[in-house]
Amino acid sequence: MELIINGEARRVADGLTAAQLLETLSVKPEGVVVELNLAIVKRAQLPQALLKGGDRVEIVRLVGGGSSDMRQET
């Protein structure tokens, strides 16, 4: 089936769940947020979230860091 993953058309096996898609892409679910057709999929629901051809999937990597002092110097 064909999915739109992060804006790009991509062919994957039929009948995948969101969890299986992440595994296929070698992406650990702990480090990402998955959006399926504009709705966030809770991590616990990834194994039940069945994908269908034409679905739009956004996989966003979580990034930590930054400074606790947000003042700008001029």
Side-chain angles (χ1 to χ4, degrees):
M1 73 179 151
E2 187 169 288
L3 303 174
I4 306 299
I5 302 173
N6 291 350
E8 294 184 23
R10 190 154 178 181
R11 293 212 45 88
V12 298
D14 288 340
L16 287 181
T17 64
Q20 291 168 324
L21 175 64
L22 292 179
E23 186 177 324
T24 298
L25 299 173
S26 299
V27 174
K28 293 183 179 183
E30 298 81 19
V32 298
V33 172
V34 176
E35 182 182 282
L36 175 58
N37 298 322
L38 302 177
I40 301 290
V41 180
K42 293 182 179 181
R43 193 169 292 129
Q45 296 304 313
L46 292 173
Q48 291 83 33
L50 189 60
L51 303 173
K52 300 176 297 299
D55 278 349
R56 294 187 163 273
V57 180
E58 292 292 324
I59 302 169
V60 181
R61 293 189 189 278
L62 302 174
V63 179
S67 172
S68 60
D69 184 358
M70 299 299 290
R71 294 178 288 170
Q72 289 184 338
E73 294 189 28
T74 56

